[in-house]
Amino acid sequence: MMLQDGSTQLLCLTASSGVPLFTRGASRQLPFSIIGSLNGVHMFGGGHGVLLSSCETEGGGKVVWRVFHDSVMLIAVSGGGSSGEEEIRLQRLLENVWNSMVLVLGQDELLQLRNVERLKRDLRSCFCLIDELLEEKHQGLLGNLTHCADSLLPPNPAVLQEAVDGFAQAADSEFGCLFVHGRIAAATEKWWRLAPQEVVLLSALVRTLSASGSASCDHPVFLPLGSPTVAHRLLRFQLLPGADVCVLCGPTPSLLRAEVQLVGQFWSPLVETLRSCLLIGERSLPGSVPLRPDVLALLLINRETRRCVSCVQLSTHHALTDPILSTPRCWELLKLFYIFCMSRYFTQEETCWVAPEDRAQGGPTEELQHGFSHQPQQCYLVAEECKSYGLQTQQHQLFLLMFPSVPTFALRKVATQTLSDIISATGF
């Protein structure tokens, strides 16, 4: 085994010559000889008409390769985990890392490899965002995996929506967004029209900028799908600790004018409203949404808007009869159950872990689904730590973790009631 269990290392090389550009993740980096071997075996396969996309090591590790535009090769090496689920996670990681490099540097900079040493220096500006994706520092944010925007449903959405629309318009922009605890609380219509991958990466970028401690910043960004070669300005302002607003705009307004004139005009009257949003915290749902005490965690996806809300609810109600799970373990189990459902049963609007060049060949999901005479709409999983239930409708997907003591026959009722309660209270 090349790495310790649970650790992941990311390697970036030039596709043509295999020159290392950077490595991120894992405290103990792989030796240069192993990096060269990983690149060499991929090149050997390509020279014989074989596309090597992944393999499993004798020690249970996983290696995944991906070449982007015949220019950059990304390799993800994981120390362990369930084979199928781990490959899905790593494939999504490589896709996100490439898009984050485009977001910061632009596609032209990555395709025109005239000066490798200069590119190495330029890529350092991507490290904070790449580490955000690699290390998953912010617990409970699943957008990197689902490619749905992590959202927070505020108790008074109309007031915040009006403020975001007005603030963006005053900043000569149609793209504005309010973040609370790293989740989107309100955004303009054009912001939601961005590609889901772009919305997720912009959210991650804003989190890294906010973590830097600056009250405001003016950051150039390229939209990986919408505008990979022409930069836009991302203006970000901290309204309160944990609450940030940003706009995508052109040459105007200046950062100083927006900070001095516009931020106070639109957001000073809403300080108490913002504080009420901050109190929601990681629950992501307003207090008006009742959750049954036997629900451990949930992930709810709106398939039309590509938004998601998620939360963990630890209760002492079942402490005497059920195992006690930590919050990080609940998030981990929720991710694994999501991958389990999406890789075997449910459909999705985008093929998130199959490379474009591989899609024509089909994958395990397609092969498994061909065995059904219908499209599965619900599934469940019973394990020692919890019971899980997945529910898919035309508009929503719900993934629910419940205590083991909940009767298996009652799982469906709990799931349908939870979905109904959230939709009726929030309109999500």
Side-chain angles (χ1 to χ4, degrees):
M1 185 179 297
M2 293 181 288
L3 296 175
Q4 295 180 349
D5 287 348
S7 62
T8 302
Q9 188 163 135
L10 177 72
L11 313 174
C12 180
L13 308 91
T14 59
S16 57
S17 57
V19 176
L21 296 175
F22 68 81
T23 62
R24 305 302 296 173
S27 56
R28 183 170 63 89
Q29 293 190 357
L30 296 175
F32 181 78
S33 58
I34 292 182
I35 296 176
S37 299
L38 293 175
N39 176 63
V41 70
H42 186 275
M43 293 182 65
F44 179 82
H48 290 76
V50 176
L51 176 63
L52 178 61
S53 60
S54 67
C55 77
E56 190 171 344
T57 69
E58 292 183 355
K62 195 76 177 178
V63 183
V64 174
W65 291 262
R66 184 86 177 267
V67 176
F68 295 88
H69 297 275
D70 296 323
S71 176
V72 172
M73 175 190 292
L74 292 175
I75 306 174
V77 183
S78 173
S82 178
S83 178
E85 284 77 5
E86 190 67 3
E87 180 174 352
I88 289 171
R89 184 184 71 84
L90 295 178
Q91 288 285 7
R92 173 48 60 85
L93 172 65
L94 297 188
E95 183 181 356
N96 288 335
V97 169
W98 166 257
N99 283 331
S100 69
M101 293 161 62
V102 175
L103 182 78
V104 176
L105 297 181
Q107 186 171 282
D108 290 344
E109 187 78 12
L110 299 170
L111 300 188
Q112 301 171 5
L113 301 180
R114 298 189 182 95
N115 189 325
V116 174
E117 293 303 318
R118 176 184 173 185
L119 179 60
K120 286 183 180 180
R121 292 193 298 269
D122 292 343
L123 283 170
R124 293 174 186 171
S125 60
C126 306
F127 286 173
C128 287
L129 181 55
I130 291 174
D131 291 344
E132 167 81 15
L133 301 172
L134 186 63
E135 300 172 8
E136 299 180 347
K137 297 179 180 178
H138 297 270
Q139 184 176 269
L141 298 175
L142 307 180
N144 297 342
L145 177 64
T146 65
H147 268 185
C148 297
D150 288 293
S151 302
L152 179 144
L153 305 183
N156 40 14
V159 175
L160 296 177
Q161 186 66 54
E162 182 180 357
V164 169
D165 291 338
F167 180 73
Q169 184 178 5
D172 299 325
S173 173
E174 295 180 303
F175 301 88
C177 187
L178 172 67
F179 293 91
V180 176
H181 293 307
R183 295 172 168 86
I184 298 179
T188 61
E189 181 182 356
K190 284 292 184 70
W191 187 278
W192 289 122
R193 290 187 186 180
L194 295 172
Q197 299 96 320
E198 294 171 342
V199 175
V200 169
L201 286 177
L202 286 170
S203 300
L205 178 61
V206 170
R207 290 195 295 269
T208 63
L209 295 174
S210 179
S212 68
S214 62
S216 62
C217 62
D218 186 341
H219 197 287
V221 295
F222 298 82
L223 299 178
L225 300 178
S227 179
T229 58
V230 178
H232 299 265
R233 295 170 65 215
L234 176 69
L235 304 184
R236 181 201 65 87
F237 306 95
Q238 185 184 71
L239 306 177
L240 292 172
D244 298 87
V245 66
C246 66
V247 293
L248 284 174
C249 61
T252 58
S254 68
L255 180 67
L256 180 61
R257 174 180 173 271
E259 186 173 20
V260 173
Q261 298 181 12
L262 304 183
V263 173
Q265 175 186 346
F266 286 92
W267 298 105
S268 292
L270 300 181
V271 170
E272 293 305 318
T273 302
L274 292 172
R275 284 177 177 157
S276 67
C277 291
L278 289 167
L279 291 176
I280 294 178
E282 288 187 355
R283 191 174 189 264
S284 301
L285 301 169
S288 59
V289 178
L291 291 180
R292 293 174 56 113
D294 42 18
V295 172
L296 266 173
L298 68 86
L299 166 63
L300 176 61
I301 294 175
N302 187 310
R303 302 172 67 188
E304 294 180 357
T305 62
R306 302 301 293 166
R307 300 174 63 189
C308 68
V309 292
S310 57
C311 70
V312 165
Q313 175 184 254
L314 296 182
S315 171
T316 58
H317 180 68
H318 294 257
L320 298 178
T321 57
D322 293 302
I324 299 177
L325 297 178
S326 66
T327 298
R329 181 57 179 166
C330 286
W331 285 119
E332 182 182 1
L333 291 173
L334 188 60
K335 291 179 187 178
L336 292 174
F337 183 59
Y338 168 81
I339 296 174
F340 172 83
C341 294
M342 299 307 294
S343 61
R344 290 169 172 81
Y345 303 113
F346 292 169
T347 58
Q348 51 191 2
E349 284 61 43
E350 57 170 350
T351 306
C352 50
W353 40 72
V354 181
E357 58 268 22
D358 300 337
R359 289 174 186 167
Q361 304 174 13
T365 305
E366 289 81 359
E367 293 177 5
L368 183 61
Q369 290 179 351
H370 286 163
F372 293 110
S373 59
H374 65 288
Q375 174 59 54
Q377 300 299 313
Q378 302 179 45
C379 66
Y380 71 94
L381 190 64
V382 176
E384 291 184 3
E385 294 179 284
C386 66
K387 292 182 179 178
S388 310
Y389 200 89
L391 174 64
Q392 177 172 257
T393 68
Q394 185 174 358
Q395 187 176 359
H396 296 94
Q397 289 171 337
L398 176 66
F399 306 89
L400 210 60
L401 302 187
M402 288 165 273
F403 285 97
S405 59
V406 177
T408 302
F409 65 82
L411 297 179
R412 180 179 181 180
K413 180 180 180 181
V414 174
T416 54
Q417 179 183 335
T418 300
L419 178 62
S420 176
D421 289 343
I422 295 176
I423 294 175
S424 61
T426 66
F428 185 80

